Amino acid sequence: MKKILCLLLSFIILSAPCFAFDSKDLNVTVLNVPLTTQLAKYYQGYEYTLLNQSKTKSKINIVNAQIVNGYDGNIAYTNTMNNEPSAMARTWIIAGPVGLFTFGIGWVVGLIATPVVAIVSNKNKKKTQSESLAYSNMIQLNELNHGESTQVLTLVPIGSKPQLRLTVQDEKTKELHAVIY
């Protein structure tokens, strides 16, 4: 009986490091980031913060990271601009038919409004592009010491939720763990 008990205790002690990583060791917080430009018509912004709060104060190595449904800011900007009709087209969609019924007054107003619309439209495009640059959708693959954190911004189409998939390597045991948030 003593031999069995000793073998059982030895097995538990030797296998304990295999269970070193716990998903609670990596604190992941998700914040909704409000968008202020044309991106808000098609996307929602999210900020992921990954914090190493392991109880053993060990390093956590992020080997692979992927945000499902997440988009890079450049791709989101291109999609937004492709889906939005141009301001010039909207101006002439209104001014064209109105000019027929107002004996050309709508066309004159359209000609006067064209440069103003072009300037305002260009300014809105630049604001949208500068806002989209912050959203990289890329998590740095590196080691996180105890207490260190890393952040990533991502854009997700309206109506869908982002999902973070990580492959984490425990530094002590060198084992890989798949974690989904």
Side-chain angles (χ1 to χ4, degrees), residues 31-52:
L31 295 175
N32 196 346
V33 179
L35 300 172
T36 59
T37 61
Q38 291 177 336
L39 290 172
K41 290 181 182 179
Y42 302 102
Y43 295 98
Q44 293 176 324
Y46 287 95
E47 177 185 30
Y48 276 96
T49 304
L50 287 75
L51 173 67
N52 179 358

Side-chain angles (χ1 to χ4, degrees), residues 66-176:
Q66 177 187 14
I67 299 176
V68 180
N69 294 336
Y71 283 92
D72 179 73
N74 291 327
I75 294 170
Y77 171 74
T78 304
N79 289 341
T80 301
M81 290 301 119
N82 288 342
N83 290 334
E84 280 292 306
S86 72
M88 301 294 270
R90 279 188 267 166
T91 302
W92 284 103
I93 287 172
I94 295 168
V98 170
L100 291 173
F101 299 111
T102 59
F103 304 109
I105 295 173
W107 295 331
V108 172
V109 171
L111 286 173
I112 293 170
T114 297
V116 174
V117 168
I119 292 169
V120 170
S121 174
N122 222 8
K123 185 177 178 183
N124 287 340
K125 282 183 182 180
K126 286 182 181 179
K127 278 184 182 178
T128 303
Q129 186 176 24
S130 65
E131 183 179 42
S132 71
L133 292 176
Y135 295 88
S136 66
N137 198 42
M138 297 285 291
I139 298 175
Q140 293 180 354
L141 304 178
N142 60 0
E143 291 182 349
L144 288 177
N145 293 322
H146 179 73
E148 281 187 342
S149 66
T150 185
Q151 295 178 334
V152 64
L153 292 169
T154 187
L155 293 169
V156 178
I158 291 179
S160 62
K161 295 286 183 190
Q163 185 182 49
L164 178 64
R165 293 184 182 181
L166 295 173
T167 304
V168 178
Q169 182 180 29
D170 189 2
E171 286 299 309
K172 288 183 179 178
T173 62
K174 302 295 184 198
E175 286 188 9
L176 296 175

